[in-house]
Amino acid sequence: MIRNTFLLAASAVAMSASAALAQPGRGAPPGPTQPPTNPQALPVDRAAAPYVRSTPPSDAMIQKIYEEGTQRSQVMKIAQTLLDSVGPRLTGSTDADRAQTWMLANYAKWGIPARIENYGTWNSWKNGSAFAELLAPRVRGLEVTAMGWSPGTAGKWVEGSVIMIPEDVVTPEKFAAWVPSARGKFVLLNAPQLTCRMPGQLAEFGTIETRDRLRQEQSALSASFNQRVLAGGGPRAIQAKLKAAGVVGALTTNFSQYPGINKVFGSPAQEIPTVDVGCEDMGLLYRLAANNQGPKIRLMVTAEKGPERPIGNVIAEMKGSTLPNEYVVLSAHFDSFTGGSGATDNGTGSLTMIEAMRILRTVYPNPKRTIVIGLWNSEEQGLNGSKAYAEMHPEVISGMQMLFNQDNGTGRISSISPGPFVHAGAFLTRYLSEMPSEVTQWIRLGSTSPFNGPGGTDHTTFVCHKAPGIGTGALSWDYSNTTWHTNRDTFDKIIPEDLRNNATLIAMLAYMASEDAQKFPRDLVPQGNAQDGTPRPWPVCPGPTKRAADSNR
């Protein structure tokens, strides 16, 4: 009887396990993989894309570039070293120095002349770890990340109570009267999130009343915190005042809307150890402080902030054989913030251009026009590296045939913008029509449009000077919430197939632009009229910020 019961029970367990395995996603044979659900990730309508070939390419060099880029790609090997071993590349940091030195070594190995071209100075910074622990009213670890250019704690633990600027401190006079009481304490500078749940969960399950309440309460809390910081002079000026008062640290947070993901920035104006605190932990510290429950923490930040030191761009060139004073430029910013590894902002854009240059050096070592790759510094602080290059190299601006830029994540390039150049669409259509359909079938060619001024990313620097900078747009892969300036912008977010595709595409575009028998004409679409009916002038092209002391970021 005992034996039979045991056998029946064992049989039931086996049947239950088999049933579980038969469920989708539980070990059953998978069904066919479905196409992507985002329309932009699907092939273009060929009727609207005459550049998508129905036959293999006829240009032997295009075929060589395609084979090198798809069959012998080095881009993921390069990516792993850059993102895992070197890591993030904050302007002025020792990590940025290592990345630039490493790139010079790569260029030397590939036989491409390269240099670091200094243009200014910025605060030096040695990246380091940050650790924090709640000591009272209970003990637990806290999730923190050092903000870019944060001073460290000299390798020591510092302890103190956690406080907020009081709600009634809303004028400079009240701030000046309050701040001496913050000596020896940590100050919360940002409003916490009242919930760290995803917006999608609130939309799926939350009642209208719940969502309205959260929105109203969060808006009021954020406005209150912002007003208190403004009373201290704003996010930059308040740092010096907190330091003078003897505050031991500042606690900030910037929730990305996804659990576990925060956006981590920084400012060279930081004067006291400043860390980003995970969403849930920031809420905990706020509630403890708001309810007078005596939160006390200890913090260690091993980063080191130093004085301004020289910074520059990494520039490499393959000299043109017949038109050396005309230029094709590969453009991407090399700097990043420090929360993750700077993988998709802008590691993938830089890697696209680096691999494209390697491909060209391998199969097209004697270009007709000079091919330049610029890995710009300090894009995150206002396109400073590309602005400096444009200022220092008027000959490249005047001789530019075309510039290609990439800066929005890991996704496959799915759009190319002609910008304000009347003839760019025709040139790009002609270039794309020579390429394999495996690459061009994904690309939507945009329309010309007036130029609103430099910003967003580096090709706009050159467009402002009326040089043909071409922007390429990539599939999102939820770039804005998941990886853009976040603590999760790491190697694993790269999509290898897309990165190989992008590098191969850029190499083919550079080859076509280099060999083109036509010089690119710079006719511009009309800028249109301002609200008062007068013609809109061409935007002013600002120069770079060459010193951290002059930065407003």
Side-chain angles (χ1 to χ4, degrees):
M1 187 70 175
I2 294 175
R3 179 178 175 82
N4 289 342
T5 301
F6 174 80
L7 290 174
L8 286 170
S11 177
V13 169
M15 290 176 64
S16 175
S18 297
L21 288 172
Q23 296 176 22
R26 296 289 297 275
T33 302
Q34 298 301 307
T37 58
N38 189 310
Q40 295 297 307
L42 299 174
V44 297
D45 177 2
R46 295 197 177 201
Y51 45 82
V52 181
R53 298 179 64 93
S54 57
T55 59
S58 56
D59 188 317
M61 184 57 69
I62 286 286
Q63 190 61 37
K64 286 183 179 180
I65 292 172
Y66 182 71
E67 290 174 359
E68 180 67 24
T70 57
Q71 298 176 21
R72 293 179 289 278
S73 174
Q74 298 295 308
V75 72
M76 291 306 293
K77 180 179 179 181
I78 300 168
Q80 190 278 322
T81 304
L82 174 64
L83 303 174
D84 287 346
S85 186
V86 176
R89 302 162 301 283
L90 186 73
T91 300
S93 69
T94 54
D95 293 330
D97 289 347
R98 288 202 304 135
Q100 291 188 333
T101 301
W102 173 77
M103 270 316 308
L104 291 181
N106 277 298
Y107 287 137
K109 180 174 63 178
W110 299 330
I112 304 173
R115 64 189 184 275
I116 296 175
E117 194 171 84
N118 291 336
Y119 64 82
T121 63
W122 212 262
N123 283 120
S124 59
W125 196 64
K126 183 178 180 181
N127 202 351
S129 301
F131 308 95
E133 184 178 27
L134 180 67
L135 301 177
R138 61 189 175 98
V139 176
R140 58 157 288 173
L142 299 171
E143 182 181 8
V144 297
T145 304
M147 302 288 280
W149 302 290
S150 168
T153 61
K156 301 176 182 178
W157 288 99
V158 291
E159 297 184 6
S161 299
V162 176
I163 62 170
M164 295 177 289
I165 303 171
E167 290 184 26
D168 63 347
V169 175
V170 293
T171 66
E173 294 76 18
K174 289 187 175 182
F175 183 87
W178 164 80
V179 74
S181 68
R183 182 176 184 82
K185 299 180 174 66
F186 292 91
V187 178
L188 297 172
L189 289 184
N190 291 97
Q193 291 293 306
L194 298 177
T195 178
C196 299
R197 288 192 177 276
M198 297 169 58
Q201 289 183 346
L202 292 169
E204 184 177 3
F205 299 112
T207 64
I208 293 174
E209 292 78 11
T210 294
R211 284 178 282 159
D212 283 347
R213 175 187 61 79
L214 281 170
R215 183 171 58 253
Q216 293 163 9
E217 291 181 1
Q218 187 69 63
S219 177
L221 185 62
S222 297
S224 175
F225 265 81
N226 290 343
Q227 183 58 48
R228 299 177 225 177
V229 171
L230 286 173
R236 290 173 55 84
I238 197 173
Q239 285 269 337
K241 295 176 182 179
L242 294 176
K243 180 181 181 181
V247 170
V248 293
L251 309 178
T252 69
T253 193
N254 192 342
F255 186 45
S256 82
Q257 306 301 313
Y258 284 6
I261 304 181
N262 268 22
K263 296 188 181 300
V264 183
F265 293 87
S267 170
Q270 289 164 163
E271 297 288 342
I272 58 176
T274 304
V275 294
D276 174 85
V277 183
C279 183
E280 291 83 358
D281 288 347
M282 190 71 162
L284 170 64
L285 294 174
Y286 164 75
R287 293 189 300 272
L288 292 171
N291 289 288
N292 299 313
Q293 292 170 358
K296 184 177 181 180
I297 69 170
R298 65 173 184 163
L299 174 73
M300 179 189 290
V301 177
T302 62
E304 298 176 13
K305 179 183 176 182
E308 297 207 20
R309 40 67 56 94
I311 59 168
N313 300 313
V314 183
I315 308 297
E317 297 180 358
M318 293 197 300
K319 205 70 175 174
S321 57
T322 58
L323 295 171
N325 297 324
E326 295 185 14
Y327 300 87
V328 177
V329 182
L330 309 185
S331 165
H333 76 87
F334 207 34
D335 64 308
S336 76
F337 279 107
T338 62
S341 301
T344 68
D345 188 20
N346 185 34
T348 45
S350 295
L351 290 159
T352 291
M353 302 304 162
I354 293 165
E355 171 69 355
M357 196 69 165
R358 185 200 67 81
I359 293 169
L360 292 167
R361 180 68 181 88
T362 302
V363 302
Y364 179 59
N366 297 301
K368 181 177 180 179
R369 292 178 169 89
T370 296
I371 298 178
V372 177
I373 176 173
L375 298 178
W376 316 121
N377 207 334
S378 196
E379 186 268 358
E380 300 292 3
Q381 290 73 57
L383 314 184
N384 293 323
S386 58
K387 288 176 181 176
Y389 182 83
E391 184 181 83
M392 296 165 69
H393 292 281
E395 78 286 359
V396 176
I397 297 295
S398 62
M400 188 181 293
Q401 174 73 1
M402 210 169 264
L403 173 146
F404 302 100
N405 187 76
Q406 214 276 316
D407 178 23
N408 68 321
T410 186
R412 184 172 60 246
I413 290 175
S414 59
S415 64
I416 301 179
S417 171
F421 299 100
V422 171
H423 302 285
F427 272 65
L428 291 167
T429 296
R430 184 157 49 83
Y431 294 172
L432 293 170
S433 67
E434 294 293 331
M435 301 178 191
S437 61
E438 289 87 347
V439 174
T440 58
Q441 66 177 324
W442 309 108
I443 296 172
R444 289 147 178 86
L445 192 57
S447 302
T448 55
S449 59
F451 181 59
N452 294 320
T457 190
D458 291 293
H459 73 279
T460 63
T461 291
F462 301 93
V463 175
C464 198
H465 292 282
K466 300 182 180 179
I470 304 299
T472 63
L475 294 175
S476 169
W477 288 89
D478 196 41
Y479 174 68
S480 294
N481 288 326
T482 300
T483 58
W484 180 70
H485 296 170
T486 77
N487 54 341
R488 300 294 184 258
D489 190 12
T490 46
F491 175 86
D492 58 289
K493 307 305 186 305
I494 295 177
I495 306 302
E497 295 85 352
D498 289 358
L499 193 51
R500 287 194 291 267
N501 171 88
N502 294 352
T504 305
L505 167 65
I506 294 297
M508 290 189 288
L509 285 170
Y511 159 71
M512 293 298 300
S514 172
E515 288 294 313
D516 201 333
Q518 299 182 49
K519 183 77 166 68
F520 184 85
R522 300 193 179 190
D523 305 73
L524 301 167
V525 298
Q527 282 292 96
N529 294 330
Q531 290 184 349
D532 62 2
T534 60
R536 290 177 61 225
W538 189 261
V540 173
C541 301
T545 302
K546 295 183 179 180
R547 301 191 312 150
D550 297 331
S551 176
N552 62 0
R553 300 193 177 208

